[in-house]
Amino acid sequence: MVLKLLKAVTPLPDSLSWIIKKLPYSRMSSPIMKRVVNEIVKSPEDKREYRGLAFTNGIKALLISDPTTDKSSAALDVHIGSLSDPPKIAGLAHFCEHMLFLGTKKYPKENEYNQFLNEHAGSSNAFTSGEHTNYYFDVSHEHLEGALDRFSQFFLCPLFDESCKDREVNAVDSEHEKNVMNDAWRLFQLEKATGNPSHPFSKFGTGNKLTLETRPSKEGVDIREELLKFHSTYYSSNLMAVCILGRESLDELMELVVKLFAEVENKNVPIPEFPDNPFQEEHLRQMYKVVPVKDIRNLYVTFPIPDLQKYYKSNPGHYLGHLIGHEGPGSLLSELKSKGWVNTLVGGQKEGAKGFMFFIINVDLTEEGLLHVEDIIFHMFQYIQKLRTEGPQEWVFQECKDLNAMAFRFKDKERPRGYTSKLAGLLHYYPLEEVLAAEYLLEEFRPDLIEMVLHKLRPQNVRVAVVSKSFEGQTDKTEEWYGTHYKQEAIPDEIIQKWINADLNGKFKLPMKNEFIPTNFEIFTLEKDAAQYPSLIKDTAMSKVWFKQDDKFFLPKACLNFEFFSPFAYVDPLHCNMAYLYLELLKDSLNEYAYAAELAGLSYDLQNTIYGMYLSVKGYNDKQHILLKKIVEKMATFEIDEKRFEIIKEAYMRSLNNFRAEQPHQHAMYYLRLLMTEVAWTKDELKDALDDVTLPRLKAFIPQLLSRLHIEALLHGNITKQVALGIVQMVEDTLIEHLHTKPLLPSQLVRYREVQLPDRGWFVYQQRNEVHNNCGIEIYYQTDMQTTSENMLLELFCQIVSEPCFNTLRTKEQLGYIVFSGPRRANGVQGLRFIIQSEKPPHYLESRVEAFLKMMGKNIEDMSDDAFQKHIQALAVRRLDKPKKLSAECAKYWGEIISQQYNFDRDNIEVAYLKTLTKEDIMQFFRDLLALDSPRRHKISVHVLAKEMESCPVVGEFPSQNDVNLAPAPSLSQPDVIQDMTEFKRSLPLFPLPKPHLNFMAAKL
């Protein structure tokens, strides 16, 4: 079915006229509201109410009333971004976004906004892109007005405080620093740098210390003045769009938004437009050879095209992307894969800015593919030629249209924060009536537009970038901001001519009709004995099956999760590698078949785990069993293709090597996991064992892996108990028929346990990151095993410290862009962790975290009862926030199953306990486990040094810490330095595993 878009704009309903009457008329005595739109096209399953507003001052607003929401949310999107930075001050729009959080005239305290949100179960963020700056938050539903009042001041009267500015420039610099060695950011900037240098597209959007402090101060430019000027110029009401979601009625929300935003000044700033494409004649038919940081090989083919935004009802770019990016039989990808040149392909339209766009075809390259770049591009033009010859096909458009309409009709409910942020951005592009539907609903088949875009995809317009380590030492140019090495060459005329003459290739076919499109959307009536939580419906030597019929979302969808336990999957690094390669090869061979299912809203995931394999199938339940049967049959009868084996093994080797280039804080988390888990193979161990994986070995391994299994499953959604049992039977029967699979012994179902740190112990493990010029640290205070009481003490402590941690260590002390505190949980054991990435050395970060913890002990002691209760309430709201969609609820239950804790009612049980906690309980928790002199303090720190650092002491005194603004750091004793990971683990005991929650295990069979 296709929803007809309702164009009628209703006059102001009576209930609204009183709001308008109550409000002061703005200048020129025109009323505040230009239009009120109540007829907004929404999904038939969407129970929320919507209203669109067009203010006289140009603000567009969308109100969403959802009486069931746990969290309220709001977002504001300013249609201005880094393309509007002043020519000399790169990153000003982004810096302005950072600064708005740090105090306004009405609420001058620098952390007022974040503190308010933290105390009321909220969170916030913002992003700056080329054309948009988008701010958003969520908060417990009772506190929307208070949060909105603080938020709205960003756009009315920010302070841009001088001392905040001097500190926050470090956060921007640290944010850029973490991206400097990231290939995606490097390539993004290189594309900008290789177009027209006088086009705003060429700007450097993030900014850093050089552009926002050093250079301006050298040139006598006052950055605070520039910030004020930028904000007062561009933060104009006619460039703003607001979206608000709450429990309040539409009238109440309208009153709120009018009260707070009607007075924003309209400076009539025109929306920036960029009628010229940054790639003009002299930038076309160029080839760029680029050296990456990681060992990756990619080919990027780009065509400049006109801005297609206004054609959203026919979306010619989507039609062409659907065909060029198709992965089924006869597709461009299938042919390139069968040649052994590429493994993945992405094709389609790519946003530029208002006035220009791009069409891209990107592939990864195998070693062989790198030698055939010209041939790969020749094949691309052959496929494009096929599309020209066949002409636009109405049935293809119709299929896209039906798939989109189905996705809109049955779309999952969104989480408030992401939803308001997205919609605030869309309000700039679509009429209020259509803002929810515009990205889904295709209306008119326009072959003329498809042909117009096809006409642009010609060799004369092409730009090519090839990324490979093999170009090291052969480049002659360096990009200014990231230091990327590259070489630019004109593509010779004879090659362009060869591409122009691309003929028809008999291998290329248009996709077949998609057999996976569901036709049965019937919702099963709830069974009489339907349980509130998953129940055990089968418990045999071979399988344990949990089932829950959906009783909340009532969409024609289901989630099927299976864990296949096999002791062979992780015996040693060799077996771990073989399990990984088996599943990668399996997914690779299923790709053509499963792609159609994915387009039709049915996807699967298959991964190796330390206990075996994980398989999930999610989406429309109508044809799920067909896809599942195919996957399991393929698992049981898989024949490996030798060519694919070599290609995928080589790609796996590179991915293991590339781990060295991950961020320092990710390395810190990785090393901590290795240190704390009973058994874990390192990247180096896996690498060393990869040579031993041969084709014969892998072929022999598969039947061995599947010879004895135990299956644990959760089937959840629009299915009945009988159907669920039938699905599991089919999985078992398939394995038994082909491989004679037998059950494991109960004693083989072992789980790994966590290392137990000794009382008063402090261990430090040091490593270096060879790629990034930043340090990373993870400090872990192991508290205890997971139980209801321990969980709540830890989570409440984390709730209390999270905002002060960010405010102290990032905003005030500027240790780095990444500053995180929260619980760490693994194998039934938990504790408090801090993660920081910084240019400061790890032992300095260590001392600042200890200073912070000490200060928090004092703060909690001095905390008023009222403030303490706010934290309890905030944590309760966070914990009771209901999942918005089936897959999220299912993930929660699945987490209980794979951790073997089975506490399906955990949220209610734990929150009930939380509400009994007193301040004294938290103080006792702190004194026992976290304070510097705690009798049961267990601490381990991982220090990852920056690549330039030769060495670094593990602990130190810092005289500069006497700075009056810094909390004094306690002096720390010498820790035990871990020289040998195995030795460390061998010398310590292990925790037992947590006990399963028996109420659910005793569920009736």
Side-chain angles (χ1 to χ4, degrees):
M1 56 169 273
V2 176
L3 292 162
K4 282 284 163 276
L5 290 170
L6 298 153
K7 281 288 189 295
V9 178
T10 48
L12 292 181
D14 290 341
S15 64
L16 298 180
S17 48
W18 66 272
I19 297 179
I20 303 293
K21 281 183 192 133
K22 273 175 55 179
L23 291 157
Y25 276 54
S26 50
R27 301 172 227 27
M28 308 279 300
S29 80
S30 59
I32 288 166
M33 214 45 77
K34 208 156 66 180
R35 289 169 69 215
V36 176
V37 180
N38 282 313
E39 301 299 325
I40 290 181
V41 183
K42 64 176 190 174
S43 162
E45 305 297 330
D46 190 346
K47 308 291 185 280
R48 297 168 288 205
E49 291 187 341
Y50 296 87
R51 177 179 295 162
L53 308 175
F55 284 72
T56 314
N57 68 0
I59 289 186
K60 291 180 281 293
L62 182 68
L63 312 177
I64 309 172
S65 171
D66 178 357
T68 66
T69 194
D70 297 314
K71 297 257 187 102
S72 291
S73 174
L76 187 144
D77 187 285
V78 189
H79 203 328
I80 214 82
S82 48
L83 294 183
S84 303
D85 282 341
K88 283 288 189 66
I89 314 176
L92 192 66
H94 179 219
F95 192 28
C96 176
E97 170 232 299
H98 273 243
M99 289 299 300
L100 291 196
F101 284 80
L102 302 174
T104 55
K105 286 199 180 108
K106 184 170 178 183
Y107 297 104
K109 198 168 87 173
E110 124 181 325
N111 65 329
E112 170 67 40
Y113 170 68
N114 279 332
Q115 188 176 0
F116 182 87
L117 291 176
N118 178 258
E119 285 171 356
H120 299 108
S123 62
S124 73
N125 213 335
F127 65 81
T128 304
S129 66
E131 299 178 285
H132 294 272
T133 314
N134 186 292
Y135 302 83
Y136 51 91
F137 70 83
D138 64 6
V139 71
S140 155
H141 69 85
E142 309 90 341
H143 295 283
L144 176 61
E145 185 167 3
L148 205 52
D149 184 26
R150 286 160 178 77
F151 178 71
S152 63
Q153 306 304 314
F154 289 13
F155 311 102
L156 297 166
C157 54
L159 288 177
F160 294 120
D161 176 82
E162 192 72 43
S163 82
C164 290
K165 170 197 69 107
D166 293 342
R167 279 177 287 126
E168 196 59 24
V169 76
N170 294 299
V172 173
D173 193 63
S174 169
E175 183 175 355
H176 171 60
E177 188 58 43
K178 83 173 171 53
N179 302 335
V180 167
M181 301 306 279
N182 177 319
D183 286 310
W185 281 95
R186 294 166 75 92
L187 292 163
F188 171 68
Q189 193 63 37
L190 184 63
E191 178 167 59
K192 294 167 158 301
T194 51
N196 174 358
S198 58
H199 194 294
F201 181 71
S202 67
K203 292 178 179 179
F204 164 49
T206 313
N208 62 9
K209 212 160 183 166
L210 172 71
T211 67
L212 296 169
E213 186 176 271
T214 320
R215 204 160 59 188
S217 67
K218 218 180 355 216
E219 294 171 4
V221 173
D222 181 340
I223 282 287
R224 180 168 185 268
E225 280 307 308
E226 291 293 333
L227 283 164
L228 287 163
K229 194 158 86 189
F230 185 86
H231 188 277
S232 77
T233 304
Y234 289 120
Y235 277 55
S236 165
S237 57
N238 71 306
L239 296 183
M240 293 180 180
V242 184
C243 179
I244 298 182
L245 181 154
R247 278 198 187 183
E248 293 82 351
S249 69
L250 290 173
D251 289 356
E252 290 165 325
L253 290 170
M254 180 156 167
E255 198 176 347
L256 252 183
V257 74
V258 167
K259 186 169 81 185
L260 293 169
F261 294 99
E263 292 303 300
V264 179
E265 192 186 339
N266 185 359
K267 297 152 189 165
N268 292 302
V269 183
I271 293 178
E273 291 204 37
F274 310 91
D276 296 330
N277 202 292
F279 300 133
Q280 295 298 322
E281 185 55 32
E282 68 267 31
H283 310 109
L284 303 177
R285 300 183 299 287
Q286 299 293 315
M287 157 97 70
Y288 301 89
K289 294 178 172 173
V290 188
V291 179
V293 174
K294 288 186 171 177
D295 188 1
I296 54 176
R297 290 189 297 263
N298 293 328
L299 165 64
Y300 299 89
V301 176
T302 306
F303 303 89
I305 59 172
D307 187 353
L308 303 174
Q309 171 58 36
K310 59 176 181 256
Y311 306 122
Y312 66 90
K313 291 193 170 169
S314 56
N315 209 338
H318 175 72
Y319 172 95
L320 288 168
H322 171 74
L323 293 174
I324 291 172
H326 209 280
E327 301 184 11
S331 63
L332 174 57
L333 175 64
S334 283
E335 178 57 12
L336 294 175
K337 249 175 89 163
S338 75
K339 295 257 193 235
W341 293 340
V342 316
N343 299 310
T344 58
L345 180 149
V346 177
Q349 54 192 351
K350 180 169 106 172
E351 282 180 5
K354 203 175 174 67
F356 65 92
M357 277 175 94
F358 312 107
F359 195 95
I360 60 164
I361 311 177
N362 298 347
V363 295
D364 72 327
L365 298 168
T366 61
E367 290 172 292
E368 188 67 20
L370 186 60
L371 309 174
H372 288 93
V373 166
E374 270 173 50
D375 299 326
I376 292 170
I377 298 173
F378 180 73
H379 279 73
M380 292 177 182
F381 285 117
Q382 282 187 319
Y383 192 85
I384 290 166
Q385 190 52 37
K386 165 86 175 166
L387 297 183
R388 279 204 193 97
T389 316
E390 297 263 345
Q393 303 285 313
E394 188 152 11
W395 74 267
V396 175
F397 175 82
Q398 192 59 46
E399 189 169 274
C400 290
K401 178 176 165 174
D402 292 346
L403 285 172
N404 281 9
M406 177 179 76
F408 185 61
R409 177 180 164 193
F410 298 116
K411 75 188 183 61
D412 294 318
K413 191 172 183 176
E414 302 78 2
R415 291 166 64 183
R417 203 179 93 159
Y419 197 42
T420 54
S421 168
K422 182 174 167 62
L423 288 169
L426 294 181
L427 284 167
H428 294 295
Y429 294 100
Y430 302 111
L432 288 165
E433 296 83 347
E434 299 175 14
V435 70
L436 303 176
E439 291 205 310
Y440 292 90
L441 300 185
L442 291 168
E443 284 191 9
E444 39 195 321
F445 176 55
R446 290 279 305 272
D448 55 323
L449 293 177
I450 293 169
E451 286 176 336
M452 179 272 287
V453 180
L454 258 179
H455 184 70
K456 307 285 180 196
L457 310 186
R458 295 183 172 277
Q460 295 89 324
N461 293 341
V462 79
R463 288 172 52 81
V464 177
V466 187
V467 177
S468 165
K469 283 279 199 197
S470 62
F471 300 130
E472 267 173 342
Q474 301 169 32
T475 60
D476 54 4
K477 288 193 160 79
T478 302
E479 188 277 318
E480 178 180 7
W481 298 107
Y482 293 80
T484 308
H485 293 300
Y486 69 103
K487 183 180 178 72
Q488 176 176 353
E489 299 170 340
I491 300 172
D493 290 346
E494 59 272 23
I495 292 177
I496 298 288
Q497 200 48 52
K498 186 178 148 195
W499 291 342
I500 289 172
N501 298 336
D503 51 348
L504 286 177
N505 181 332
K507 299 271 179 61
F508 291 137
K509 305 266 187 293
L510 287 181
M512 296 174 293
K513 245 173 94 22
N514 190 337
E515 296 299 331
F516 274 106
I517 297 178
T519 50
N520 178 3
F521 300 111
E522 182 196 348
I523 306 294
F524 291 111
T525 48
L526 269 178
E527 297 183 320
K528 283 194 294 296
D529 56 349
Q532 192 182 349
Y533 298 106
S535 54
L536 196 53
I537 57 169
K538 179 175 184 177
D539 192 0
T540 63
M542 179 74 111
S543 61
K544 187 183 244 122
V545 180
W546 298 90
F547 166 72
K548 170 152 169 49
Q549 188 177 357
D550 171 44
D551 55 4
K552 292 192 185 63
F553 306 102
F554 301 108
L555 290 172
K557 300 179 181 183
C559 295
L560 316 177
N561 287 292
F562 299 88
E563 175 117 56
F564 298 92
F565 291 86
S566 168
F568 289 114
Y570 205 68
V571 180
D572 58 17
L574 172 67
H575 282 74
C576 177
N577 284 335
M578 290 197 292
Y580 174 82
L581 289 170
Y582 161 50
L583 296 184
E584 285 304 300
L585 285 157
L586 184 67
K587 288 187 283 196
D588 178 68
S589 77
L590 277 167
N591 190 56
E592 262 189 8
Y593 176 82
Y595 185 72
E598 195 178 332
L599 288 177
L602 183 57
S603 61
Y604 81 98
D605 185 20
L606 183 57
Q607 306 170 6
N608 65 312
T609 71
I610 54 178
Y611 300 119
M613 298 169 287
Y614 164 70
L615 168 63
S616 76
V617 179
K618 293 186 171 72
Y620 297 107
N621 57 272
D622 184 21
K623 300 185 176 173
Q624 260 179 341
H625 62 285
I626 302 173
L627 178 61
L628 178 64
K629 188 170 173 49
K630 177 82 173 184
I631 295 167
V632 179
E633 277 178 351
K634 193 92 171 170
M635 278 172 76
T637 61
F638 190 42
E639 293 291 329
I640 303 171
D641 173 304
E642 186 166 359
K643 202 158 101 180
R644 298 308 297 159
F645 169 73
E646 292 302 339
I647 287 171
I648 283 175
K649 179 178 165 185
E650 190 272 340
Y652 176 46
M653 187 58 161
R654 280 185 294 132
S655 79
L656 288 172
N657 279 321
N658 285 337
F659 184 72
R660 58 184 279 283
E662 295 300 339
Q663 299 275 345
H665 76 275
Q666 286 166 316
H667 279 182
M669 292 161 71
Y670 160 76
Y671 291 124
L672 186 68
R673 200 180 71 247
L674 296 179
L675 287 162
M676 297 311 295
T677 310
E678 179 183 0
V679 176
W681 308 123
T682 67
K683 303 283 175 189
D684 289 338
E685 289 165 341
L686 293 169
K687 249 181 341 199
D688 294 343
L690 190 52
D691 282 347
D692 299 340
V693 182
T694 59
L695 192 56
R697 257 196 175 150
L698 186 56
K699 282 181 169 165
F701 165 74
I702 298 169
Q704 181 192 30
L705 177 74
L706 302 174
S707 62
R708 285 189 180 266
L709 290 175
H710 179 73
I711 302 168
E712 189 149 13
L714 168 64
L715 297 91
H716 178 191
N718 183 37
I719 46 175
T720 61
K721 189 186 288 186
Q722 276 330 103
V723 169
L725 287 167
I727 286 174
V728 176
Q729 200 56 53
M730 176 273 290
V731 171
E732 289 187 27
D733 290 348
T734 307
L735 291 167
I736 290 166
E737 178 193 341
H738 295 289
L739 294 159
H740 313 299
T741 304
K742 295 189 173 72
L744 288 174
L745 300 167
S747 60
Q748 289 178 292
L749 296 177
V750 289
R751 291 279 174 166
Y752 296 124
R753 303 192 293 163
E754 194 81 348
V755 170
Q756 185 168 7
L757 299 175
D759 289 349
R760 313 235 5 94
W762 174 27
F763 299 88
V764 174
Y765 182 70
Q766 269 195 348
Q767 279 286 0
R768 218 165 93 236
N769 184 303
E770 306 161 17
V771 173
H772 293 270
N773 223 349
N774 260 338
C775 299
I777 186 167
E778 179 169 13
I779 304 176
Y780 174 49
Y781 301 90
Q782 190 180 59
T783 53
D784 217 325
M785 290 190 59
Q786 293 173 30
T787 60
T788 298
S789 56
E790 289 301 326
N791 292 356
M792 287 301 91
L793 286 164
L794 177 62
E795 283 183 39
L796 182 56
F797 188 82
C798 290
Q799 154 70 33
I800 293 170
V801 303
S802 81
E803 189 279 331
C805 168
F806 187 88
N807 185 44
T808 307
L809 303 180
R810 181 178 142 168
T811 307
K812 289 198 174 129
E813 301 194 18
Q814 283 298 333
L815 297 183
Y817 177 71
I818 297 171
V819 173
F820 170 83
S821 66
R824 176 188 189 272
R825 294 193 161 122
N827 304 314
V829 180
Q830 62 191 353
L832 167 68
R833 66 169 168 185
F834 291 88
I835 296 169
I836 302 174
Q837 184 163 304
S838 176
E839 51 185 32
K840 309 249 185 351
H843 63 314
Y844 178 73
L845 304 176
E846 186 88 58
S847 109
R848 294 320 303 152
V849 169
E850 288 291 2
F852 169 72
L853 255 187
K854 185 175 169 179
M855 177 185 87
M856 281 316 297
K858 178 105 183 69
N859 289 5
I860 295 173
E861 208 166 324
D862 300 342
M863 186 180 281
S864 70
D865 254 3
D866 180 42
F868 182 76
Q869 285 308 318
K870 268 186 187 160
H871 283 300
I872 287 197
Q873 196 43 44
L875 178 55
V877 170
R878 279 185 218 279
R879 286 295 306 271
L880 298 175
D881 191 13
K882 297 182 287 293
K884 305 294 173 275
K885 54 184 181 182
L886 180 73
S887 59
E889 183 180 22
C890 188
K892 243 180 163 160
Y893 292 145
W894 185 242
E896 292 295 338
I897 290 169
I898 54 170
S899 70
Q900 297 196 338
Q901 295 191 30
Y902 305 107
N903 188 357
F904 298 123
D905 192 20
R906 179 182 299 281
D907 294 324
N908 290 316
I909 292 170
E910 294 190 344
V911 167
Y913 180 82
L914 166 70
K915 291 185 170 166
T916 67
L917 290 177
T918 63
K919 195 173 96 170
E920 182 46 41
D921 295 328
I922 283 287
M923 283 309 301
Q924 198 50 49
F925 172 76
F926 177 77
R927 288 192 293 260
D928 277 356
L929 292 156
L930 297 170
L932 193 55
D933 54 359
S934 295
R936 292 174 48 229
R937 186 185 228 221
H938 321 112
K939 177 181 175 187
I940 182 167
S941 316
V942 176
H943 294 183
V944 176
L945 311 188
K947 71 165 179 210
E948 312 272 285
M949 294 172 69
E950 275 313 299
S951 67
C952 179
V954 286
V955 67
E957 299 286 329
F958 300 92
S960 63
Q961 285 190 3
N962 304 335
D963 178 341
V964 283
N965 298 317
L966 290 185
S971 70
L972 303 175
S973 57
Q974 276 295 328
D976 288 312
V977 178
I978 300 170
Q979 304 294 354
D980 177 327
M981 215 179 253
T982 313
E983 213 33 63
F984 162 76
K985 285 168 43 168
R986 197 176 284 161
S987 66
L988 291 173
L990 299 171
F991 273 101
L993 291 169
K995 293 191 168 46
H997 205 270
L998 290 172
N999 301 7
F1000 292 102
M1001 291 307 295
K1004 308 183 290 293
L1005 279 180

